[in-house]
């Protein structure tokens, strides 16, 4: 009972410190800055505050003997995630003392209460604190393991107070016995190789401690003063093997638990900000923190805005009533005008009173802008019998999006400015092409050739010999399009520079054949090499069913052959696919020779958009590269900028002992539109980065490129296509079967 009273009194402590402040009408808000570990907080300690939804941060911090590199993302409005690497300069990574000890970890923080929201009528909104629960070093080595409950309350417009109870590392001051002692013991598991979630060790320290902080926004714009009481325990780090013959108290001596510092914010735009923090910790050490952050939920500003335009429909006789010369002229003028704005025309279709165009474009990130511009070209050249236009987006030879609108509605809309996306009818395949439809193919489109050379970085982070092994290469990319849907794509990497000369240590673990853990050998022996050379054939089986056949060198480690079939309904909110590949492992030099190892890998894939926060779920079940069997579970979220952040876990019949260090395979990834980085022009290109704590063989797949990403590339960027709420009957049998027609359809 005493423990329960203590917890309850802690939750309701904050009204003592708060005056009658209307938190919804603050004109001057204290900037929410980062602590040394990368989360929102004071200097060392966390606070109950959170960044704005979608905030992405990269930072560096230093407080002797620790140096830290971190990345933080506000994954949800109520959840913060931090990935961090910590260098402890007095500890060696190996017994030989070649480099300092590095530790990676993931911290998460969850909002329990939002400031200004009443609690079941017990506290008015003016007195409700921001309350959060955090778990640091979740699933890691436990070196910086801690948990906490913390609340924050604004005292007035420029003063913010935080008070928390810490466990583990944050319980170092040992003020009280742990009020949660024994509660989580039933969740304890034997962590054989590290890397597993072990709830049994959360909130399990014998003692707990209180920490607190105060942040004051000074009269100087964007400059705040921070003062905190730090309850941290450093003994678990200090008692590891040391580089030097020093006692732990000679590495860190805590002369004072009161830390103080300043944070200054540079605002470089509505999206981007920089924080600079300096101060004193432990009463004797300098602290510094540098953080760059941007908000992924800030929509990308359009580089091109279509002007209002009065379109006078030309008085032209229907296409079949024209003489041959004018028919050729009309086809050529439409294709020439499309090319002049950066669009490649696949075909022009006269289907009764409807004018269609099949086109490919990489100019506009938002497809509505391309539909707008292509529609204006069609409207200016439409014969008098046309009352409807349809723009069909073609990517790699298959239809990925179509939009239709009446010609009259289109002309009225663009007379006021950019086309209103809500007027478009998307992916409706109910109206078939008539037998009299005229299809005019682009005779000059194939074969086509393209090439590019771009810098490309490779590397390995947190290796036993050196923290970061890197390589800069020139990646030569070529593509030959032989016909619609048939492509040869080649990537060749030419080494520019690297630091691989000391990259010699390599001991893979686990019980599977090393399908991925020989990564070091591919990097070192294939400094220059053929990264990819594959033939792809893509086709529309039906309007809702796509297929892809692939053969060649599929990626830098594997060659082979296989294919994929994908079904997606018109709304693109879910999909079902099957893929299978026979693959053979390449030699480490990445030329044309192969090793003996080969296997067949295949998966059933299910995709589902979720009706909240632009979330997406994917499940792949089947046989992996290492011949283990199981599933990939993936959740991701799309932000308003078009960026996507996700996480994947692999659960297979290769258990923790079979997997080795890390216990199971997991990834986090960022997929960013290149339009974020362009100033004066737009692009559909995207770039991605994936991070895994360790390279493992368990739960790995070959990477030849998939159909699903191709299919949603355009529709994801149309606001009207994204799922806002659950449709009334998304799984109707009639809707499912509607995509399996064999005849060609149109709007």
């Amino acid at each position: 009972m005493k423990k329960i009273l203590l917890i309850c009194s802690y939750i309701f402590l904050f009204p003592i410190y708060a005056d009658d402040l209307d938190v919804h009408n603050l004109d001057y808000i204290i900037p929410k800055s980062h602590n040394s570990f990368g989360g929102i907080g004071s200097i060392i300690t966390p606070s109950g505050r959170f960044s704005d939804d979608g905030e992405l941060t990269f930072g560096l911090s230093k407080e002797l003997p620790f140096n830290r590199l971190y990345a933080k993302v506000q994954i949800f409005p109520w959840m913060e995630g931090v990935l961090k690497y910590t260098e402890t300069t007095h500890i060696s990574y190996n017994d030989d003392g070649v480099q300092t000890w590095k530790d990676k970890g993931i911290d998460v923080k969850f909002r329990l209460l939002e400031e200004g929201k009443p609690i079941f009528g017990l506290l008015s909104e003016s007195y409700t604190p921001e309350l959060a629960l955090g778990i640091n070093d979740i699933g890691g080595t436990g070196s910086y393991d801690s948990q906490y409950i913390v609340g924050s309350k604004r005292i007035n417009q420029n003063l913010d107070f935080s008070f928390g109870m810490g466990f583990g590392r944050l319980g170092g001051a040992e003020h009280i016995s742990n009020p949660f002692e024994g509660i989580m013991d039933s969740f304890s598991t034997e962590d054989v190789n590290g890397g597993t979630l072990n709830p049994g060790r959360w909130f399990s320290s014998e003692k707990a401690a209180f920490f607190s902080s105060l942040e004051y926004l000074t009269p100087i714009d964007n400059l705040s003063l921070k003062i905190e009481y730090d309850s941290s325990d450093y003994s678990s780090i200090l008692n590891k093997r040391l580089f030097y013959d020093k006692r732990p108290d000679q590495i860190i001596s805590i002369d004072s638990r009161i830390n103080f510092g300043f944070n200054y914010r540079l605002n470089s735009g509505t999206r981007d900000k920089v924080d600079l923090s300096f101060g004193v910790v432990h009463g004797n050490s300098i602290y510094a923190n540098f953080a760059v952050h941007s908000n992924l939920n800030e929509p990308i500003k359009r580089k091109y805005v279509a002007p209002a335009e009065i379109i006078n429909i030309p008085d032209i006789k229907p296409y079949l009533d024209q003489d041959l010369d004018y028919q050729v002229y009309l086809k050529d003028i439409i294709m020439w005008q499309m090319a002049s704005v950066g669009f490649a025309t696949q075909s022009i279709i006269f289907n009764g009173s409807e004018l269609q165009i099949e086109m490919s474009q990489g100019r506009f990130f938002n497809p509505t802008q391309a539909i707008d511009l292509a529609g204006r070209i069609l409207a200016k050249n439409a014969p008098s019998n046309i009352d409807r236009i349809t723009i069909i987006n073609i990517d790699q030879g298959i239809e990925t999006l179509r939009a239709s609108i009446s010609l009259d509605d289109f002309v009225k809309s663009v007379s006021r400015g950019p086309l209103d996306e809500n007027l478009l009818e998307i992916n409706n395949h109910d109206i078939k092409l008539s037998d009299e439809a005229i299809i005019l193919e682009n005779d000059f489109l194939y074969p086509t050739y393209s090439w590019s050379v771009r810098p490309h970085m490779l590397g390995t982070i947190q290796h036993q010999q050196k923290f970061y092994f890197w390589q800069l290469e020139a990646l030569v990319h070529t593509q030959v399009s032989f016909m619609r849907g048939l492509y040869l794509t080649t990537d060749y990497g030419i080494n520019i520079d690297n630091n691989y000369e000391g990259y010699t240590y390599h001991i893979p673990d686990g019980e599977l054949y090393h399908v991925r853990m020989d990564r070091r050998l591919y990097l070192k022996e294939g400094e220059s090499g053929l990264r990819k050379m594959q033939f792809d054939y893509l086709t529309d089986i039906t309007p809702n069913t796509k297929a892809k056949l692939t053969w060649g060198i599929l990626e830098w480690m594997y060659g082979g052959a296989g294919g994929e079939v994908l079904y997606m309904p018109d709304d693109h909110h879910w999909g079902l696919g099957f893929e299978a590949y026979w693959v053979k492992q390449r030699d480490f030099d990445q030329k044309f020779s192969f090793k003996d190892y080969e296997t067949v890998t295949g998966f059933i894939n299910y995709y589902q958009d979720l009706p909240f926060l632009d979330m997406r779920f994917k499940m792949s079940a089947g046989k992996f590269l290492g011949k283990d069997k199981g599933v990939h579970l993936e959740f991701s979220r799309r932000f308003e900028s078009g960026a996507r952040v996700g996480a994947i876990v692999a659960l297979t019949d290769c258990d923790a002992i079979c997997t080795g260090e890390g216990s199971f395979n997991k990834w986090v990834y960022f997929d960013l539109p290149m339009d974020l980085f362009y100033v004066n022009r737009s692009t559909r290109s995207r770039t991605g980065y994936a991070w895994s704590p360790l390279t493992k063989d368990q739960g790995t797949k070959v990477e030849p490129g998939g159909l699903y990403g191709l299919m949603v590339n355009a529709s994801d960027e149309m606001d009207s296509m994204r799922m806002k709420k659950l449709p009334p009957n998304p799984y109707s049998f009639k809707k499912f079967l509607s995509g399996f027609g064999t005849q060609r359809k149109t709007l």
Side-chain angles (χ1 to χ4, degrees), residues 554-568:
L554 308 180
E555 47 147 291
W556 66 322
M557 293 188 187
Y558 290 91
E564 179 181 5
V565 177
L566 174 69
Y567 170 81
M568 293 185 73

Side-chain angles (χ1 to χ4, degrees), residues 620-634:
S620 295
K623 179 183 174 185
F624 293 94
L625 274 176
K627 301 183 181 180
D628 50 328
K629 301 177 181 66
V631 297
H632 268 192
L633 300 177
E634 175 180 344

Side-chain angles (χ1 to χ4, degrees), residues 420-480:
D420 182 357
E421 181 183 309
N422 295 313
L423 297 174
L424 296 173
E425 192 175 356
I426 305 296
N427 290 344
N428 187 338
H429 299 95
D430 290 341
I431 302 175
K432 302 175 183 178
L433 279 182
S434 68
D435 295 336
E436 293 78 26
I438 306 299
I439 302 176
L440 307 176
E441 302 285 355
N442 187 342
D443 300 326
F444 303 97
L445 192 56
Y446 299 105
T448 58
Y449 313 88
S450 64
W451 66 275
S452 64
V453 180
R454 61 182 176 87
H456 183 232
M457 287 293 295
L458 296 168
T460 296
I461 196 168
Q462 199 188 354
H463 190 268
Q464 292 92 333
Q465 291 176 288
K466 188 175 292 186
F467 179 62
Y468 185 48
F469 284 106
W470 58 268
Q471 179 188 17
L472 176 64
E473 68 176 9
L475 189 66
V476 182
H477 172 84
T478 66
Q479 187 174 77
V480 182

Side-chain angles (χ1 to χ4, degrees), residues 39-139:
I40 296 298
S42 185
I43 299 171
I44 303 297
T45 62
S47 73
R49 301 296 179 196
F50 290 81
S51 296
D52 294 337
D53 187 25
E55 195 84 5
L56 176 66
T57 303
F58 295 95
L60 300 164
S61 69
K62 182 180 184 69
E63 92 266 4
L64 289 177
F66 306 111
N67 299 319
R68 194 168 288 109
L69 170 69
Y70 60 81
K72 188 217 72 181
V73 62
Q74 190 68 38
I75 306 171
F76 305 112
W78 44 266
M79 180 180 176
E80 168 189 281
V82 180
L83 166 66
K84 63 185 189 294
Y85 280 95
T86 301
E87 177 189 33
T88 307
T89 56
H90 68 285
I91 303 173
S92 63
Y93 202 110
N94 295 311
D95 293 333
D96 56 13
V98 171
Q99 69 161 316
T100 54
W101 182 57
K102 313 295 192 306
D103 182 75
K104 55 183 171 288
I106 296 177
D107 301 345
V108 293
K109 182 168 71 174
F110 302 93
R111 175 183 282 140
L112 302 179
L113 293 176
E114 186 175 357
E115 185 176 17
K117 297 290 182 67
I119 308 175
F120 307 117
L122 299 178
L123 285 180
S124 70
E125 61 183 34
S126 298
Y127 290 101
T128 308
E130 191 96 351
L131 191 66
L133 180 147
I135 303 173
N136 294 336
D137 215 12
I138 184 170

Side-chain angles (χ1 to χ4, degrees), residues 473-489:
E473 68 176 9
L475 189 66
V476 182
H477 172 84
T478 66
Q479 187 174 77
V480 182
S481 305
F482 298 99
M483 55 179 285
R484 178 165 168 167
L486 180 61
Y487 305 90
L488 171 63
T489 305

Side-chain angles (χ1 to χ4, degrees), residues 33 160 198 264 401 454 490 675 678:
S33 55
D160 199 27
N198 191 349
Y264 182 73
L401 182 76
R454 61 182 176 87
T490 303
D675 212 38
Y678 283 44

